[in-house]
Amino acid sequence: MPSAAPRLKKLAEQLLGAPLPVRIRAWDGSEAGPPGAPALVVRSRRALRHLMWKPGELGLARAWVAGDLDVEGDLYAALDALAEFIWERGDDAKSLRVSLRDPEFRAAARSLIALAAPFLPPSPPQEEMRRRGRLHLHTKGSDRQAISHHYDVGNDFYELVLGPSMVYSCAYWESEDSTLEDAQRDKLELIARKLALKPGMRLLDVGCGWGSMAIHAAREHGVTVVGVTLSQEQAAYARKRIAEEGLTDKVEIRVQDYRDVRDGPYDAISSIGMAEHVGSERYLEYAHDLHALLKPGGRLLNHQIARRPQEDESAYSVDEFIDAYVFPDGELAPVGTTVGLLERAGFEVRDVEAIREHYALTLRRWVANLEANWPEGQRLTSPGRARIWRLYMAASALSFERNRIGVNQVLAVKTPEVGTSGVPLRARDWR
């Protein structure tokens, strides 16, 4: 029987209609493809069965998480080379089933089935989010389940990836030579200055994570903070940090949905890397709720990942890998859509700062942390989940670098009827 790798390469090029830009190494030790290129390692026939039963991105994701598919060499180079086939041609991948009318495609599919035998459906990896249905997204119950899936995977694992700052959002870099901890501190300080935090003010930190913004605001600016999260593990960790800092009289951490916060008004609200979980159907409600919680003249800093707009916005679909394994039910919107909804809720948007390149730098540091401690990372969570985080962070870094997605800080004010916003005349002078 011919070696597996040349057959796989030929089949992949037939199915994709283009030369494969990476090498293939198969389970029988054979190799095929351009010399010196990163290698896509197919460790077992089960990887092919994942693809046959779930053609496209989800099948690839399952094979990766299960350890049946791997990359040898530069992961970024491999993902960059494969981006055209995995993400940019996602609709083609999802429509493979309808291509069976093409005789050449049918022949290639039969060859793939023979190579994948026995042709039984493999079980999805245990790390995949299980759902009974998707009819009722972004209820309080479904959001709590989605947040737990992503964040309740072990605080020790997040410490290893994020470093001492325990900030799980885009850092703000003075230069590429800065440390991750300095860049995260600078991001928190930038937000504090945009919100004009001063002693005696009340800050609501929506989606407070492990408490880093709350601690910074209380310790460095003397404000009283309420932080809300749906993650039990985050809340426990944040409370422990706050006690160690001696800030229990300044900071309260609640396991609470932002929709249930009723003790406004607040002087300022920070929402850092949280709004991506809200969903398009709920976003206007989110904006109205935060507007109602602010006092007149109060400021909101909304730090949020954005996608590029599409000509047909109704055709937008959530990335299958991210939805199943990383951020279930998360949705991205163009920054213009976000600004429009905030203004519809009554906010005056005063500043939008795009910091896309900063997130690419941040993600590469997180990947480096994980790779430098790979055995420990697997031990602290699971081999499959460690593989998920490595892939999603590396792929996301490339997406930011290639302008497929961006991230923006939107400063909005609950401007009173008299029109006095309280924002300085000089742009970006946040004192």
Side-chain angles (χ1 to χ4, degrees), residues 64-263:
W64 175 272
V65 177
D68 299 320
L69 197 64
D70 206 346
V71 166
E72 184 176 285
D74 189 326
L75 178 60
Y76 294 103
L79 291 174
D80 213 15
L82 290 168
E84 178 185 354
F85 303 103
I86 300 174
W87 292 285
E88 295 169 14
R89 292 173 50 171
D91 291 339
D92 294 338
K94 294 172 189 173
S95 64
L96 288 178
R97 297 179 188 89
V98 302
S99 299
L100 288 172
R101 290 169 293 185
D102 183 335
E104 290 187 13
F105 184 95
R106 287 202 305 270
R110 283 194 298 269
S111 297
L112 187 59
I113 291 170
L115 197 57
F119 194 59
L120 298 173
S123 299
Q126 64 178 2
E127 292 84 0
E128 186 169 313
M129 178 74 165
R130 305 292 201 276
R131 294 184 178 87
R132 293 182 179 178
R134 296 182 61 86
L135 297 178
H136 303 290
L137 294 183
H138 301 295
T139 63
K140 292 176 184 178
S142 70
D143 281 354
R144 187 165 52 249
Q145 182 187 19
I147 292 299
S148 178
H149 177 87
H150 184 78
Y151 293 103
D152 292 340
V153 301
N155 291 328
D156 290 343
F157 176 73
Y158 276 107
E159 278 186 335
L160 182 147
V161 174
L162 304 180
S165 67
M166 286 299 281
V167 181
Y168 194 23
S169 56
C170 174
Y172 197 71
W173 300 83
E174 283 288 331
S175 74
E176 295 186 24
D177 296 327
S178 300
T179 68
L180 176 60
E181 288 68 41
D182 285 345
Q184 290 291 15
R185 183 202 60 231
D186 290 347
K187 187 270 297 296
L188 298 177
E189 180 58 21
L190 175 68
I191 291 171
R193 286 189 284 114
K194 288 183 177 182
L195 291 173
L197 297 182
K198 295 179 178 62
M201 293 175 66
R202 294 184 77 215
L203 169 69
L204 175 64
D205 188 24
V206 181
C208 65
W210 292 272
S212 298
M213 180 65 202
I215 290 170
H216 182 88
R219 185 183 61 212
E220 304 299 329
H221 296 273
V223 303
T224 300
V225 188
V226 171
V228 296
T229 176
L230 294 178
S231 167
Q232 295 283 352
E233 290 193 17
Q234 283 186 333
Y237 188 97
R239 288 168 184 153
K240 181 174 182 292
R241 292 178 72 193
I242 289 158
E244 290 171 350
E245 291 275 352
L247 294 171
T248 52
D249 61 331
K250 286 285 190 180
V251 183
E252 177 189 1
I253 300 296
R254 304 173 185 167
V255 178
Q256 185 178 37
D257 194 289
Y258 72 93
R259 288 165 283 195
D260 293 329
V261 177
R262 296 288 182 266
D263 59 345

Side-chain angles (χ1 to χ4, degrees), residues 169-173 187 190-191 194 272 301-304 352-362 400 405-410 428:
S169 56
C170 174
Y172 197 71
W173 300 83
K187 187 270 297 296
L190 175 68
I191 291 171
K194 288 183 177 182
I272 308 168
L301 192 287
N302 189 77
H303 177 117
Q304 182 177 344
V352 179
E353 183 174 4
I355 53 175
R356 172 174 62 82
E357 294 87 351
H358 293 254
Y359 218 156
L361 291 170
T362 306
F400 283 106
I405 53 177
V407 61
N408 305 278
Q409 289 191 353
V410 179
R428 303 279 163 86

